Amino acid sequence: MCLSCAEAVAAGHAPINPCLCGAPETQAAMRRLEADLDRRRLLGGMAAIVGMFAGFGLAPGELRAQTAGRPTVLTNLRFFDGRTLSMQTGRDIVIEGGRITALPATGTGPADADVIDCGGRAVTPGLIDCHWHSTLVAVSQIAAVTQDIAWVHLMAGREAGATLLRGFTTVRDTGGPAFGLKQAIDQGAVTGPRIFPSGAMLSQTSGHGDFRLLNAVPRMPGDPADYTERTGVAAIADGVDEVLRRTREQLMKGASQIKIMAGGGVASPYDPLDTTQYTLDEMRAAVQAAADWGTYVCAHVYTPTGIQRCIEAGVKSIEHGQLADTATIRAMAAAGAWWSIQPFLADEDANQYSDPRSQAKQQQVAEGTVRAFQEGRAEGVNMAFGTDVLFNPTGAATQGRQLAKLTRFMSPLEALRMATGAAGDLLALSGERAPYPGPLGVITEGALADLLVWDGDPETSLDFIGTPDTSLRLVMKGGRIFKDALA
């Protein structure tokens, strides 16, 4: 009731309420008014956010979407389906509702459709990078651990748009605070690829994800978390209980898989490459917590001892692994584990390090890369493509060129399959935690309509994938066109 009503009641009079402020009708009207104000604030905030992103070139560009109620048909093309090691002809690709719905004989598809003439060019599934760091690729290492995290996210948003226009329509983010970026992309506020996020990388103290300076050691019980932990880059977890807690936190935030650090790394200065990180029980804790949510663990590791411990613990995906010996490679094949491997060749496209210790470790990894590809293929290990471009703003643009380098070890279509159909199979290990229901990396009925049109012949070379500015003619993700240079 209003103030006058309260005074009347206090004086002993009947509670007459001429303003009806407490009446159900009045309260309902107030709720409607508040809801309208909330909607206006939300729309205003969204406009401000999109405007802010537009200032950095991050807002979505002009899109050509399907006409409502009409399918889109790609015709006059040769296509690689992501699995069969040959280019196929004589078919059109029909897209409806963001999915591929049919592959009819050329000219026999629906008559009432938006038709895109590909001019006889090659069509492939959208490319998949299975080892990408969406928020850490476009900034230097010192910037990542010292700059305002909002700036880091803005740089990540800008790089996401560039990633999509290189033809990578999906990435598996193997560590970093990518949840917000994924949400912005999925909601259409920012242009970028589909993201399968791992969230913070789980690391033991002194492990590959422990980015603290030496003057921050020891950390006492009352000390705050390190900056990289607070911002979601990494999570230091020692012991089974702590590993369970940190794993569950990432799952709570929306992780589609969990990333642990199981051995030394190149970029980190304090953990030698040969070290084995996490005990078997700690690894099993992460694996069990992930399995309880229907998903899996992937592990950064290079050495035979570390890889074999991962396999024993139930880790499904080995990240890197270039120092594996023959017995370990055979163990990976026997376990049905995935090898998410990168062409680390210490060449002009490699991540750059000024620390001599990191340079030496990088060279050691490069020396094992050739044998890893050769033996991995010979032993029949499941292999998927990734780049792991890290803290390297200029190196991000080499993403497609890294894929083309795989033709040093296999035929062009075999290499392309590693970044399409095989990569999609690896992503499918996320089960119900996969954020995008439907097959990825393939051109088949029911698959998500992520498609690329290229100038180039994938049967003879993949060099054209390294020059997407000139060779990539059309980029489609989920049936929406983000680049159209066919004319």
Side-chain angles (χ1 to χ4, degrees), residues 231-254:
T231 55
V233 172
I236 299 175
D238 295 304
V240 168
D241 290 347
E242 193 69 12
V243 169
L244 285 173
R245 179 179 295 109
R246 300 306 177 204
T247 299
R248 290 165 176 165
E249 286 174 350
Q250 302 316 306
L251 293 167
M252 178 181 178
K253 294 173 76 172

Side-chain angles (χ1 to χ4, degrees), residues 26-362:
T26 305
Q27 294 298 310
M30 289 298 294
R31 285 194 294 270
R32 289 194 297 271
L33 179 59
E34 289 172 353
D36 182 64
L37 288 172
D38 286 341
R39 282 194 297 272
R40 291 172 183 268
R41 292 190 192 102
L42 175 62
L43 291 173
M46 289 178 64
I49 291 171
V50 171
M52 175 182 70
F53 279 113
F56 283 86
L58 305 182
E62 190 69 23
L63 305 179
R64 175 150 64 95
Q66 293 176 235
T67 303
R70 295 177 62 184
T72 296
V73 176
L74 271 60
T75 190
N76 189 14
L77 54 87
R78 302 171 296 122
F79 73 93
F80 173 64
D81 67 7
R83 298 195 185 282
T84 308
L85 296 180
S86 63
M87 298 295 289
Q88 301 183 45
T89 59
R91 294 186 178 275
D92 290 341
I93 302 173
V94 181
I95 298 125
E96 297 181 78
R99 294 179 182 270
I100 299 170
T101 56
L103 296 169
T106 302
T108 64
D112 185 20
D114 296 326
V115 178
I116 298 175
D117 188 333
C118 298
R121 295 180 175 88
V123 177
T124 72
L127 302 176
I128 300 171
D129 190 326
C130 287
H131 196 113
W132 189 247
H133 296 279
S134 305
T135 52
L136 304 177
V137 61
V139 295
S140 68
Q141 186 168 5
I142 189 66
V145 299
T146 61
Q147 295 297 309
D148 189 293
I149 194 64
W151 177 83
V152 173
H153 286 308
L154 284 170
M155 295 301 100
R158 182 175 68 177
E159 185 55 44
T163 302
L164 180 63
L165 294 183
R166 288 193 290 269
F168 286 87
T169 54
T170 302
V171 297
R172 185 178 62 148
D173 191 289
T174 49
F179 297 116
L181 177 61
K182 175 190 176 298
Q183 183 177 0
I185 292 170
D186 291 348
Q187 293 180 351
V190 177
T191 298
R194 305 178 190 274
I195 296 177
F196 279 67
S198 300
M201 302 171 275
L202 272 62
S203 171
Q204 68 174 44
T205 294
S206 77
H208 185 52
D210 188 345
F211 295 100
R212 295 174 298 164
L213 299 177
L214 291 180
N215 61 11
V217 177
R219 181 164 71 183
M220 305 307 289
D223 291 345
D226 180 69
Y227 174 80
T228 56
E229 295 178 271
R230 297 196 307 272
T231 55
V233 172
I236 299 175
D238 295 304
V240 168
D241 290 347
E242 193 69 12
V243 169
L244 285 173
R245 179 179 295 109
R246 300 306 177 204
T247 299
R248 290 165 176 165
E249 286 174 350
Q250 302 316 306
L251 293 167
M252 178 181 178
K253 294 173 76 172
S256 52
Q257 65 283 323
I258 295 298
K259 166 76 172 296
I260 67 171
M261 300 305 201
V266 174
S268 45
Y270 304 123
D271 58 322
L273 202 59
D274 63 297
T275 58
T276 302
Q277 299 171 15
Y278 275 134
T279 66
L280 184 59
D281 286 342
E282 288 171 320
M283 287 186 186
R284 281 175 170 163
V287 168
Q288 183 62 60
D292 286 345
W293 279 55
T295 187
Y296 69 101
V297 170
C298 62
H300 161 104
V301 61
Y302 285 102
T303 65
T305 301
I307 295 171
Q308 291 185 25
R309 184 178 294 180
C310 287
I311 293 171
E312 185 178 356
V315 170
K316 299 293 186 183
S317 177
I318 301 300
E319 309 298 311
H320 314 315
Q322 278 86 349
L323 303 183
D325 58 20
T326 301
T328 301
I329 293 172
R330 289 174 178 169
M332 292 169 63
W338 279 87
W339 198 346
S340 172
I341 189 168
Q342 307 75 35
F344 289 158
L345 298 169
D347 56 12
E348 68 279 2
D349 294 329
N351 295 322
Q352 300 300 309
Y353 301 104
S354 58
D355 190 325
R357 292 170 296 181
S358 291
Q359 293 172 353
K361 290 190 286 187
Q362 185 180 50

Side-chain angles (χ1 to χ4, degrees), residues 425-451:
D425 289 341
L426 172 54
L427 296 180
L429 294 182
S430 293
E432 292 300 316
R433 302 288 76 77
Y436 311 100
L440 286 164
V442 291
I443 297 178
T444 188
E445 291 185 16
L448 295 172
D450 297 355
L451 299 165

